[in-house]
């Protein structure tokens, strides 16, 4: 289980760095022009803090996997992460319209990959908590 948590740590840190490419991929420069300055800046700032939070989750998992499995505090952190990623997994299925990915090869691959990844995180953190 410790190896799984370390792998998750690396994957989450990689996911955090991928957030730097989101604005360019989704053409935010053009797409967000119609938003007010406040909403446009909130999108950018919130994306930064999501990336930072995901990075710190990954860093915690990578550097403290043993503690997560073998201490009371680690067990509570694992519970928090299990709840967080369970909710994220459900959002993947019920929070996004299938119009975003249906009939589009790249988007479908991303949707399926993300679904598998969120499920993996959910299962590992619940197993860590229940250990």
């Amino acid at each position: 289980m410790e190896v799984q948590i370390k792998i998750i740590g690396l994957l989450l840190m990689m996911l955090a760095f991928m957030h730097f490419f989101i604005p360019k991929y989704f053409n935010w420069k053009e797409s967000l022009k119609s938003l007010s300055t406040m909403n446009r800046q909130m999108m950018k700032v919130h994306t930064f803090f999501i990336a930072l939070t995901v990075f710190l989750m990954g860093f915690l998992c990578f550097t403290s996997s043993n503690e997560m499995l073998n201490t009371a505090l680690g067990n509570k952190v694992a519970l928090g992460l299990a709840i967080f990623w369970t909710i994220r997994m459900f959002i993947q299925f019920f929070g996004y319209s299938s119009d975003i990915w249906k009939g589009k090869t790249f988007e479908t691959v991303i949707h399926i990959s993300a679904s598998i990844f969120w499920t993996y995180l959910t299962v590992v953190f619940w197993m860590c908590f229940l250990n």
Side-chain angles (χ1 to χ4, degrees):
M1 184 62 67
E2 190 171 347
V3 171
Q4 294 301 317
I5 295 171
K6 285 190 181 294
I7 290 169
I8 284 173
L10 289 172
L11 292 172
L12 288 175
M13 288 187 285
M14 289 170 44
L15 176 61
F17 284 114
M18 289 171 58
H19 280 75
F20 288 110
F21 303 103
I22 287 175
K24 184 171 175 81
Y25 179 79
F26 289 107
N27 192 22
W28 278 10
K29 191 171 196 167
E30 198 58 39
S31 295
L32 299 181
K33 273 185 181 178
S34 63
L35 297 179
S36 68
T37 301
M38 175 60 122
N39 286 331
R40 188 172 45 254
Q41 289 177 349
M42 281 178 51
M43 287 289 295
K44 293 175 181 177
V45 169
H46 283 205
T47 298
F48 171 79
F49 278 99
I50 289 168
L52 179 61
T53 301
V54 169
F55 178 84
L56 293 173
M57 283 182 190
F59 185 75
L60 175 70
C61 291
F62 187 74
T63 60
S64 304
S65 56
N66 183 48
E67 290 86 348
M68 286 180 68
L69 289 166
N70 298 309
T71 68
L73 177 59
N75 194 252
K76 289 177 180 84
V77 170
L79 173 61
L81 292 172
I83 293 167
F84 179 91
W85 291 112
T86 299
I87 293 168
R88 179 59 185 90
M89 180 185 64
F90 280 104
I91 293 295
Q92 185 69 22
F93 297 109
F94 304 111
Y96 291 108
S97 168
S98 61
D99 294 342
I100 294 171
W101 56 270
K102 263 190 181 170
K104 303 172 189 169
T105 304
F106 179 74
E107 288 82 353
T108 299
V109 168
I110 295 299
H111 173 72
I112 292 169
S113 299
S115 300
I116 291 168
F117 185 53
W118 307 143
T119 303
Y120 170 61
L121 296 175
T122 298
V123 168
V124 170
F125 285 121
W126 278 113
M127 288 175 63
C128 181
F129 169 69
L130 296 171
N131 182 22

